mmCIF file of all heavy atoms in Angstrom:
data_model
loop_
_atom_site.group_PDB
_atom_site.id
_atom_site.type_symbol
_atom_site.label_atom_id
_atom_site.label_comp_id
_atom_site.label_asym_id
_atom_site.label_seq_id
_atom_site.Cartn_x
_atom_site.Cartn_y
_atom_site.Cartn_z
ATOM 1 N N LEU A 98 -8.861 -7.402 41.468
ATOM 2 C CA LEU A 98 -10.081 -7.754 40.870
ATOM 3 C C LEU A 98 -10.382 -9.209 40.878
ATOM 4 O O LEU A 98 -11.601 -9.592 41.315
ATOM 5 C CB LEU A 98 -10.395 -7.027 39.471
ATOM 6 C CG LEU A 98 -11.611 -7.407 38.764
ATOM 7 C CD1 LEU A 98 -12.779 -6.548 39.522
ATOM 8 C CD2 LEU A 98 -11.505 -6.798 37.306
ATOM 9 N N PHE A 99 -9.546 -9.982 40.370
ATOM 10 C CA PHE A 99 -9.701 -11.330 40.256
ATOM 11 C C PHE A 99 -9.797 -11.979 41.546
ATOM 12 O O PHE A 99 -10.560 -13.054 41.720
ATOM 13 C CB PHE A 99 -8.587 -12.063 39.381
ATOM 14 C CG PHE A 99 -8.651 -11.759 37.918
ATOM 15 C CD1 PHE A 99 -7.671 -12.090 37.102
ATOM 16 C CD2 PHE A 99 -9.768 -11.046 37.455
ATOM 17 C CE1 PHE A 99 -7.879 -12.013 35.728
ATOM 18 C CE2 PHE A 99 -9.932 -10.724 36.043
ATOM 19 C CZ PHE A 99 -8.898 -11.269 35.227
ATOM 20 N N TYR A 100 -9.133 -11.444 42.617
ATOM 21 C CA TYR A 100 -9.288 -11.901 43.920
ATOM 22 C C TYR A 100 -10.700 -11.872 44.391
ATOM 23 O O TYR A 100 -11.316 -12.843 44.920
ATOM 24 C CB TYR A 100 -8.409 -11.111 44.928
ATOM 25 C CG TYR A 100 -8.218 -11.825 46.192
ATOM 26 C CD1 TYR A 100 -7.070 -12.500 46.529
ATOM 27 C CD2 TYR A 100 -9.150 -11.617 47.312
ATOM 28 C CE1 TYR A 100 -6.815 -12.984 47.758
ATOM 29 C CE2 TYR A 100 -9.002 -12.230 48.559
ATOM 30 C CZ TYR A 100 -7.854 -12.965 48.843
ATOM 31 O OH TYR A 100 -7.689 -13.487 49.881
ATOM 32 N N GLN A 101 -11.374 -10.705 44.169
ATOM 33 C CA GLN A 101 -12.774 -10.616 44.404
ATOM 34 C C GLN A 101 -13.694 -11.554 43.706
ATOM 35 O O GLN A 101 -14.650 -12.076 44.245
ATOM 36 C CB GLN A 101 -13.265 -9.094 44.105
ATOM 37 C CG GLN A 101 -12.607 -8.043 44.995
ATOM 38 C CD GLN A 101 -12.670 -8.312 46.428
ATOM 39 O OE1 GLN A 101 -13.747 -8.693 46.896
ATOM 40 N NE2 GLN A 101 -11.666 -8.253 47.310
ATOM 41 N N VAL A 102 -13.383 -11.738 42.437
ATOM 42 C CA VAL A 102 -14.172 -12.688 41.603
ATOM 43 C C VAL A 102 -14.168 -14.069 42.246
ATOM 44 O O VAL A 102 -15.195 -14.770 42.385
ATOM 45 C CB VAL A 102 -13.651 -12.699 40.139
ATOM 46 C CG1 VAL A 102 -14.349 -13.800 39.286
ATOM 47 C CG2 VAL A 102 -14.105 -11.243 39.455
ATOM 48 N N ILE A 103 -12.895 -14.400 42.492
ATOM 49 C CA ILE A 103 -12.665 -15.829 42.954
ATOM 50 C C ILE A 103 -13.264 -15.988 44.393
ATOM 51 O O ILE A 103 -13.956 -17.070 44.687
ATOM 52 C CB ILE A 103 -11.214 -16.240 42.992
ATOM 53 C CG1 ILE A 103 -10.819 -16.287 41.471
ATOM 54 C CG2 ILE A 103 -10.942 -17.496 43.658
ATOM 55 C CD1 ILE A 103 -9.235 -16.331 41.115
ATOM 56 N N LYS A 104 -13.113 -14.982 45.241
ATOM 57 C CA LYS A 104 -13.786 -15.013 46.490
ATOM 58 C C LYS A 104 -15.280 -15.185 46.329
ATOM 59 O O LYS A 104 -15.848 -15.977 47.026
ATOM 60 C CB LYS A 104 -13.413 -13.724 47.154
ATOM 61 C CG LYS A 104 -13.969 -13.625 48.586
ATOM 62 C CD LYS A 104 -13.300 -12.471 49.305
ATOM 63 C CE LYS A 104 -13.766 -12.172 50.708
ATOM 64 N NZ LYS A 104 -14.755 -11.068 50.661
ATOM 65 N N LYS A 105 -15.961 -14.494 45.514
ATOM 66 C CA LYS A 105 -17.332 -14.551 45.221
ATOM 67 C C LYS A 105 -17.712 -16.036 44.745
ATOM 68 O O LYS A 105 -18.690 -16.476 45.357
ATOM 69 C CB LYS A 105 -17.651 -13.476 44.176
ATOM 70 C CG LYS A 105 -19.159 -13.565 43.664
ATOM 71 C CD LYS A 105 -20.253 -13.409 44.730
ATOM 72 C CE LYS A 105 -20.413 -11.997 45.191
ATOM 73 N NZ LYS A 105 -21.582 -11.880 46.235
ATOM 74 N N LEU A 106 -16.970 -16.464 43.874
ATOM 75 C CA LEU A 106 -17.294 -17.945 43.391
ATOM 76 C C LEU A 106 -17.231 -18.905 44.474
ATOM 77 O O LEU A 106 -17.970 -19.908 44.615
ATOM 78 C CB LEU A 106 -16.378 -18.259 42.255
ATOM 79 C CG LEU A 106 -16.695 -17.484 40.844
ATOM 80 C CD1 LEU A 106 -15.486 -17.743 39.932
ATOM 81 C CD2 LEU A 106 -17.996 -17.782 40.276
ATOM 82 N N ARG A 107 -16.223 -18.709 45.353
ATOM 83 C CA ARG A 107 -15.974 -19.574 46.345
ATOM 84 C C ARG A 107 -16.996 -19.527 47.357
ATOM 85 O O ARG A 107 -17.513 -20.494 48.128
ATOM 86 C CB ARG A 107 -14.530 -19.392 47.104
ATOM 87 C CG ARG A 107 -13.339 -19.869 46.142
ATOM 88 C CD ARG A 107 -13.366 -21.503 46.156
ATOM 89 N NE ARG A 107 -12.440 -21.978 45.249
ATOM 90 C CZ ARG A 107 -12.884 -22.594 44.163
ATOM 91 N NH1 ARG A 107 -14.103 -22.689 43.638
ATOM 92 N NH2 ARG A 107 -11.823 -22.995 43.316
ATOM 93 N N GLU A 108 -17.478 -18.353 47.634
ATOM 94 C CA GLU A 108 -18.601 -18.169 48.584
ATOM 95 C C GLU A 108 -19.968 -18.769 48.046
ATOM 96 O O GLU A 108 -20.697 -19.426 48.880
ATOM 97 C CB GLU A 108 -18.976 -16.564 48.797
ATOM 98 C CG GLU A 108 -17.969 -15.967 49.748
ATOM 99 C CD GLU A 108 -18.041 -14.342 49.574
ATOM 100 O OE1 GLU A 108 -18.771 -13.802 48.857
ATOM 101 O OE2 GLU A 108 -17.169 -13.801 50.302
ATOM 102 N N ARG A 109 -20.129 -18.729 46.760
ATOM 103 C CA ARG A 109 -21.245 -19.343 46.234
ATOM 104 C C ARG A 109 -21.352 -20.857 45.974
ATOM 105 O O ARG A 109 -22.180 -21.531 46.186
ATOM 106 C CB ARG A 109 -21.625 -18.688 44.896
ATOM 107 C CG ARG A 109 -22.659 -17.616 44.879
ATOM 108 C CD ARG A 109 -22.738 -16.835 43.664
ATOM 109 N NE ARG A 109 -23.355 -17.618 42.550
ATOM 110 C CZ ARG A 109 -23.313 -17.060 41.246
ATOM 111 N NH1 ARG A 109 -22.843 -15.787 40.984
ATOM 112 N NH2 ARG A 109 -23.832 -17.739 40.252
ATOM 113 N N TYR A 110 -20.038 -21.340 45.676
ATOM 114 C CA TYR A 110 -19.966 -22.743 45.308
ATOM 115 C C TYR A 110 -19.077 -23.650 46.224
ATOM 116 O O TYR A 110 -18.677 -24.721 45.895
ATOM 117 C CB TYR A 110 -19.634 -22.858 43.783
ATOM 118 C CG TYR A 110 -20.498 -22.246 42.924
ATOM 119 C CD1 TYR A 110 -20.179 -20.986 42.463
ATOM 120 C CD2 TYR A 110 -21.655 -22.842 42.431
ATOM 121 C CE1 TYR A 110 -21.106 -20.391 41.417
ATOM 122 C CE2 TYR A 110 -22.516 -22.276 41.581
ATOM 123 C CZ TYR A 110 -22.255 -21.010 41.141
ATOM 124 O OH TYR A 110 -23.117 -20.310 40.318
ATOM 125 N N GLY A 111 -18.506 -22.986 47.237
ATOM 126 C CA GLY A 111 -17.432 -23.671 47.980
ATOM 127 C C GLY A 111 -16.264 -23.990 47.260
ATOM 128 O O GLY A 111 -16.020 -23.129 46.331
ATOM 129 N N ASP A 112 -15.462 -25.092 47.414
ATOM 130 C CA ASP A 112 -14.255 -25.282 46.731
ATOM 131 C C ASP A 112 -14.425 -25.679 45.311
ATOM 132 O O ASP A 112 -13.383 -25.989 44.614
ATOM 133 C CB ASP A 112 -13.322 -26.257 47.592
ATOM 134 C CG ASP A 112 -12.573 -25.504 48.621
ATOM 135 O OD1 ASP A 112 -12.597 -24.310 48.605
ATOM 136 O OD2 ASP A 112 -11.824 -26.196 49.447
ATOM 137 N N SER A 113 -15.553 -25.952 44.837
ATOM 138 C CA SER A 113 -15.703 -26.359 43.408
ATOM 139 C C SER A 113 -16.506 -25.054 42.764
ATOM 140 O O SER A 113 -17.206 -24.427 43.483
ATOM 141 C CB SER A 113 -16.642 -27.593 43.407
ATOM 142 O OG SER A 113 -17.835 -27.385 43.989
ATOM 143 N N PRO A 114 -16.399 -24.902 41.587
ATOM 144 C CA PRO A 114 -15.600 -25.659 40.590
ATOM 145 C C PRO A 114 -14.153 -25.287 40.568
ATOM 146 O O PRO A 114 -13.764 -24.252 41.147
ATOM 147 C CB PRO A 114 -16.203 -25.064 39.194
ATOM 148 C CG PRO A 114 -16.470 -23.740 39.583
ATOM 149 C CD PRO A 114 -17.039 -23.667 40.960
ATOM 150 N N PRO A 115 -13.324 -26.143 39.861
ATOM 151 C CA PRO A 115 -11.918 -25.546 39.760
ATOM 152 C C PRO A 115 -11.921 -24.346 38.926
ATOM 153 O O PRO A 115 -12.685 -24.186 37.928
ATOM 154 C CB PRO A 115 -11.373 -26.712 38.935
ATOM 155 C CG PRO A 115 -12.207 -27.965 38.958
ATOM 156 C CD PRO A 115 -13.553 -27.390 39.253
ATOM 157 N N ILE A 116 -10.998 -23.463 39.315
ATOM 158 C CA ILE A 116 -11.006 -22.168 38.546
ATOM 159 C C ILE A 116 -9.636 -22.128 37.762
ATOM 160 O O ILE A 116 -8.626 -22.389 38.555
ATOM 161 C CB ILE A 116 -11.268 -20.902 39.483
ATOM 162 C CG1 ILE A 116 -12.527 -21.095 40.137
ATOM 163 C CG2 ILE A 116 -11.097 -19.672 38.760
ATOM 164 C CD1 ILE A 116 -12.922 -19.995 41.239
ATOM 165 N N HIS A 117 -9.674 -21.758 36.641
ATOM 166 C CA HIS A 117 -8.523 -21.544 35.882
ATOM 167 C C HIS A 117 -8.326 -20.157 35.319
ATOM 168 O O HIS A 117 -9.277 -19.767 34.514
ATOM 169 C CB HIS A 117 -8.281 -22.663 34.755
ATOM 170 C CG HIS A 117 -6.964 -22.782 34.270
ATOM 171 N ND1 HIS A 117 -6.252 -21.891 33.491
ATOM 172 C CD2 HIS A 117 -6.027 -23.896 34.313
ATOM 173 C CE1 HIS A 117 -5.077 -22.302 33.094
ATOM 174 N NE2 HIS A 117 -4.925 -23.537 33.720
ATOM 175 N N VAL A 118 -7.332 -19.499 35.627
ATOM 176 C CA VAL A 118 -7.094 -18.117 35.123
ATOM 177 C C VAL A 118 -5.974 -18.087 34.141
ATOM 178 O O VAL A 118 -4.859 -18.524 34.486
ATOM 179 C CB VAL A 118 -6.764 -17.144 36.334
ATOM 180 C CG1 VAL A 118 -6.564 -15.679 35.707
ATOM 181 C CG2 VAL A 118 -7.789 -17.159 37.379
ATOM 182 N N THR A 119 -6.275 -17.712 32.898
ATOM 183 C CA THR A 119 -5.186 -17.661 31.828
ATOM 184 C C THR A 119 -4.948 -16.174 31.653
ATOM 185 O O THR A 119 -5.899 -15.412 31.362
ATOM 186 C CB THR A 119 -5.665 -18.442 30.536
ATOM 187 O OG1 THR A 119 -6.046 -19.617 31.013
ATOM 188 C CG2 THR A 119 -4.456 -18.343 29.668
ATOM 189 N N TYR A 120 -3.716 -15.818 31.524
ATOM 190 C CA TYR A 120 -3.238 -14.563 31.169
ATOM 191 C C TYR A 120 -2.830 -14.562 29.654
ATOM 192 O O TYR A 120 -1.860 -15.199 29.377
ATOM 193 C CB TYR A 120 -2.104 -14.069 32.142
ATOM 194 C CG TYR A 120 -2.523 -13.789 33.444
ATOM 195 C CD1 TYR A 120 -2.632 -14.984 34.409
ATOM 196 C CD2 TYR A 120 -3.009 -12.629 33.966
ATOM 197 C CE1 TYR A 120 -3.137 -14.770 35.712
ATOM 198 C CE2 TYR A 120 -3.606 -12.473 35.161
ATOM 199 C CZ TYR A 120 -3.557 -13.557 36.071
ATOM 200 O OH TYR A 120 -4.017 -13.342 37.362
ATOM 201 N N GLU A 121 -3.656 -13.713 28.932
ATOM 202 C CA GLU A 121 -3.193 -13.674 27.484
ATOM 203 C C GLU A 121 -2.576 -12.394 27.223
ATOM 204 O O GLU A 121 -2.981 -11.280 27.634
ATOM 205 C CB GLU A 121 -4.402 -13.924 26.752
ATOM 206 C CG GLU A 121 -4.375 -13.831 25.205
ATOM 207 C CD GLU A 121 -4.251 -12.452 24.585
ATOM 208 O OE1 GLU A 121 -4.445 -11.403 25.084
ATOM 209 O OE2 GLU A 121 -3.609 -12.438 23.514
ATOM 210 N N ASP A 122 -1.449 -12.366 26.423
ATOM 211 C CA ASP A 122 -0.686 -11.162 25.912
ATOM 212 C C ASP A 122 0.143 -11.489 24.961
ATOM 213 O O ASP A 122 0.369 -12.741 24.610
ATOM 214 C CB ASP A 122 0.035 -10.435 27.168
ATOM 215 C CG ASP A 122 0.198 -8.971 26.836
ATOM 216 O OD1 ASP A 122 0.949 -8.573 25.977
ATOM 217 O OD2 ASP A 122 -0.366 -8.202 27.751
ATOM 218 N N GLN A 123 0.858 -10.588 24.243
ATOM 219 C CA GLN A 123 1.836 -10.879 23.137
ATOM 220 C C GLN A 123 2.952 -11.944 23.735
ATOM 221 O O GLN A 123 3.220 -11.791 24.887
ATOM 222 C CB GLN A 123 2.262 -9.659 22.565
ATOM 223 C CG GLN A 123 1.245 -8.684 22.163
ATOM 224 C CD GLN A 123 1.802 -7.419 21.591
ATOM 225 O OE1 GLN A 123 1.807 -7.240 20.328
ATOM 226 N NE2 GLN A 123 2.175 -6.522 22.354
ATOM 227 N N PRO A 124 3.602 -12.508 22.740
ATOM 228 C CA PRO A 124 4.709 -13.344 23.217
ATOM 229 C C PRO A 124 5.790 -12.582 23.857
ATOM 230 O O PRO A 124 6.555 -13.196 24.534
ATOM 231 C CB PRO A 124 5.108 -14.026 21.861
ATOM 232 C CG PRO A 124 4.541 -13.388 20.763
ATOM 233 C CD PRO A 124 3.263 -12.728 21.298
ATOM 234 N N VAL A 125 6.012 -11.344 23.593
ATOM 235 C CA VAL A 125 7.071 -10.610 24.202
ATOM 236 C C VAL A 125 6.645 -9.995 25.651
ATOM 237 O O VAL A 125 7.414 -9.409 26.263
ATOM 238 C CB VAL A 125 7.425 -9.389 23.264
ATOM 239 C CG1 VAL A 125 8.108 -9.788 22.106
ATOM 240 C CG2 VAL A 125 6.218 -8.537 22.986
ATOM 241 N N ALA A 126 5.550 -10.362 26.216
ATOM 242 C CA ALA A 126 4.990 -9.849 27.432
ATOM 243 C C ALA A 126 6.006 -10.288 28.555
ATOM 244 O O ALA A 126 6.606 -11.348 28.469
ATOM 245 C CB ALA A 126 3.579 -10.183 27.743
ATOM 246 N N ASP A 127 5.843 -9.609 29.699
ATOM 247 C CA ASP A 127 6.590 -9.990 30.843
ATOM 248 C C ASP A 127 5.976 -11.104 31.739
ATOM 249 O O ASP A 127 5.437 -10.791 32.806
ATOM 250 C CB ASP A 127 7.040 -8.848 31.582
ATOM 251 C CG ASP A 127 7.922 -9.033 32.792
ATOM 252 O OD1 ASP A 127 8.474 -10.164 33.015
ATOM 253 O OD2 ASP A 127 8.211 -8.138 33.578
ATOM 254 N N PHE A 128 5.868 -12.299 31.217
ATOM 255 C CA PHE A 128 5.210 -13.265 31.915
ATOM 256 C C PHE A 128 6.056 -13.846 33.215
ATOM 257 O O PHE A 128 5.279 -14.258 34.078
ATOM 258 C CB PHE A 128 4.973 -14.620 30.949
ATOM 259 C CG PHE A 128 3.880 -14.226 29.985
ATOM 260 C CD1 PHE A 128 4.251 -14.226 28.544
ATOM 261 C CD2 PHE A 128 2.594 -14.011 30.187
ATOM 262 C CE1 PHE A 128 3.309 -14.016 27.538
ATOM 263 C CE2 PHE A 128 1.667 -13.758 29.239
ATOM 264 C CZ PHE A 128 1.994 -13.765 27.832
ATOM 265 N N LYS A 129 7.281 -13.609 33.129
ATOM 266 C CA LYS A 129 8.047 -13.945 34.220
ATOM 267 C C LYS A 129 7.455 -13.150 35.556
ATOM 268 O O LYS A 129 7.392 -13.723 36.645
ATOM 269 C CB LYS A 129 9.616 -13.631 34.022
ATOM 270 C CG LYS A 129 10.496 -14.041 35.127
ATOM 271 C CD LYS A 129 11.930 -13.959 34.576
ATOM 272 C CE LYS A 129 12.832 -14.289 35.805
ATOM 273 N NZ LYS A 129 14.289 -13.912 35.379
ATOM 274 N N SER A 130 7.319 -11.806 35.549
ATOM 275 C CA SER A 130 6.859 -11.057 36.533
ATOM 276 C C SER A 130 5.440 -11.598 36.927
ATOM 277 O O SER A 130 5.222 -11.506 38.183
ATOM 278 C CB SER A 130 6.804 -9.522 36.157
ATOM 279 O OG SER A 130 8.090 -9.005 35.923
ATOM 280 N N LEU A 131 4.726 -11.886 36.001
ATOM 281 C CA LEU A 131 3.317 -12.369 36.346
ATOM 282 C C LEU A 131 3.334 -13.526 37.351
ATOM 283 O O LEU A 131 2.722 -13.481 38.393
ATOM 284 C CB LEU A 131 2.694 -12.720 35.033
ATOM 285 C CG LEU A 131 1.447 -13.666 35.097
ATOM 286 C CD1 LEU A 131 0.219 -12.929 35.615
ATOM 287 C CD2 LEU A 131 1.247 -14.294 33.665
ATOM 288 N N PHE A 132 4.076 -14.554 37.005
ATOM 289 C CA PHE A 132 4.201 -15.802 37.834
ATOM 290 C C PHE A 132 4.884 -15.407 39.118
ATOM 291 O O PHE A 132 4.472 -15.963 40.197
ATOM 292 C CB PHE A 132 4.817 -16.869 37.049
ATOM 293 C CG PHE A 132 3.820 -17.419 35.983
ATOM 294 C CD1 PHE A 132 4.309 -17.341 34.605
ATOM 295 C CD2 PHE A 132 2.661 -18.019 36.227
ATOM 296 C CE1 PHE A 132 3.481 -17.671 33.592
ATOM 297 C CE2 PHE A 132 1.850 -18.362 35.196
ATOM 298 C CZ PHE A 132 2.271 -18.280 33.842
ATOM 299 N N MET A 133 5.861 -14.593 39.123
ATOM 300 C CA MET A 133 6.554 -14.247 40.286
ATOM 301 C C MET A 133 5.565 -13.532 41.282
ATOM 302 O O MET A 133 5.659 -13.843 42.464
ATOM 303 C CB MET A 133 7.841 -13.423 40.061
ATOM 304 C CG MET A 133 8.924 -14.226 39.422
ATOM 305 S SD MET A 133 10.349 -13.283 38.909
ATOM 306 C CE MET A 133 10.988 -12.787 40.412
ATOM 307 N N ARG A 134 4.877 -12.624 40.756
ATOM 308 C CA ARG A 134 3.893 -11.861 41.677
ATOM 309 C C ARG A 134 2.824 -12.750 42.171
ATOM 310 O O ARG A 134 2.495 -12.739 43.297
ATOM 311 C CB ARG A 134 3.281 -10.726 40.852
ATOM 312 C CG ARG A 134 2.907 -9.549 41.814
ATOM 313 C CD ARG A 134 2.414 -8.330 40.883
ATOM 314 N NE ARG A 134 3.270 -7.694 40.135
ATOM 315 C CZ ARG A 134 4.110 -6.703 40.565
ATOM 316 N NH1 ARG A 134 4.225 -6.310 41.963
ATOM 317 N NH2 ARG A 134 4.945 -6.034 39.808
ATOM 318 N N LEU A 135 2.377 -13.622 41.338
ATOM 319 C CA LEU A 135 1.143 -14.543 41.836
ATOM 320 C C LEU A 135 1.838 -15.513 42.868
ATOM 321 O O LEU A 135 1.033 -15.907 43.851
ATOM 322 C CB LEU A 135 0.788 -15.522 40.614
ATOM 323 C CG LEU A 135 -0.227 -14.697 39.617
ATOM 324 C CD1 LEU A 135 -0.310 -15.619 38.285
ATOM 325 C CD2 LEU A 135 -1.528 -14.412 40.167
ATOM 326 N N GLN A 136 3.105 -15.836 42.850
ATOM 327 C CA GLN A 136 3.645 -16.630 43.837
ATOM 328 C C GLN A 136 4.179 -15.890 44.976
ATOM 329 O O GLN A 136 4.850 -16.497 45.904
ATOM 330 C CB GLN A 136 4.719 -17.546 43.120
ATOM 331 C CG GLN A 136 4.392 -18.351 42.007
ATOM 332 C CD GLN A 136 3.794 -19.703 42.315
ATOM 333 O OE1 GLN A 136 3.529 -20.019 43.479
ATOM 334 N NE2 GLN A 136 3.400 -20.476 41.302
ATOM 335 N N GLY A 137 4.138 -14.652 44.938
ATOM 336 C CA GLY A 137 4.558 -13.854 46.058
ATOM 337 C C GLY A 137 6.117 -13.507 46.023
ATOM 338 O O GLY A 137 6.729 -13.145 47.007
ATOM 339 N N LEU A 138 6.706 -13.922 44.826
ATOM 340 C CA LEU A 138 8.195 -13.522 44.717
ATOM 341 C C LEU A 138 8.360 -11.993 44.374
ATOM 342 O O LEU A 138 9.539 -11.633 44.426
ATOM 343 C CB LEU A 138 8.819 -14.434 43.719
ATOM 344 C CG LEU A 138 8.630 -16.003 44.047
ATOM 345 C CD1 LEU A 138 9.156 -16.778 42.875
ATOM 346 C CD2 LEU A 138 9.519 -16.253 45.305
ATOM 347 N N LEU A 139 7.401 -11.384 43.969
ATOM 348 C CA LEU A 139 7.356 -9.971 43.797
ATOM 349 C C LEU A 139 6.228 -9.511 44.712
ATOM 350 O O LEU A 139 5.240 -10.256 45.034
ATOM 351 C CB LEU A 139 6.998 -9.620 42.263
ATOM 352 C CG LEU A 139 8.121 -9.617 41.381
ATOM 353 C CD1 LEU A 139 7.644 -9.307 39.852
ATOM 354 C CD2 LEU A 139 9.279 -8.584 41.603
ATOM 355 N N PRO A 140 6.320 -8.159 45.225
ATOM 356 C CA PRO A 140 5.197 -7.722 46.143
ATOM 357 C C PRO A 140 3.833 -7.976 45.580
ATOM 358 O O PRO A 140 3.669 -7.517 44.419
ATOM 359 C CB PRO A 140 5.588 -6.260 46.281
ATOM 360 C CG PRO A 140 7.032 -6.116 45.966
ATOM 361 C CD PRO A 140 7.264 -7.103 44.928
ATOM 362 N N MET A 141 2.896 -8.522 46.347
ATOM 363 C CA MET A 141 1.564 -8.828 45.852
ATOM 364 C C MET A 141 0.733 -7.519 46.264
ATOM 365 O O MET A 141 0.871 -7.130 47.315
ATOM 366 C CB MET A 141 0.962 -10.091 46.498
ATOM 367 C CG MET A 141 1.829 -11.329 46.190
ATOM 368 S SD MET A 141 1.241 -12.706 47.201
ATOM 369 C CE MET A 141 1.654 -12.252 48.842
ATOM 370 N N PRO A 142 -0.121 -7.093 45.318
ATOM 371 C CA PRO A 142 -1.081 -6.002 45.614
ATOM 372 C C PRO A 142 -1.767 -6.395 46.944
ATOM 373 O O PRO A 142 -2.395 -7.545 47.131
ATOM 374 C CB PRO A 142 -2.137 -5.836 44.544
ATOM 375 C CG PRO A 142 -1.424 -6.756 43.436
ATOM 376 C CD PRO A 142 -0.491 -7.744 43.999
#
Side-chain angles (χ1 to χ4, degrees):
L98 178 66
F99 287 178
Y100 195 98
Q101 294 305 319
V102 168
I103 291 165
K104 185 163 173 265
K105 170 62 76 187
L106 290 172
R107 286 291 172 254
E108 281 164 5
R109 258 169 74 188
Y110 301 101
D112 272 355
S113 54
I116 298 171
H117 197 290
V118 183
T119 308
Y120 292 87
E121 184 279 338
D122 205 298
Q123 301 182 99
V125 292
D127 183 8
F128 291 117
K129 185 172 174 184
S130 291
L131 160 71
F132 292 111
M133 286 175 68
R134 212 180 286 278
L135 285 166
Q136 304 277 3
L138 300 171
L139 281 171
M141 301 173 292

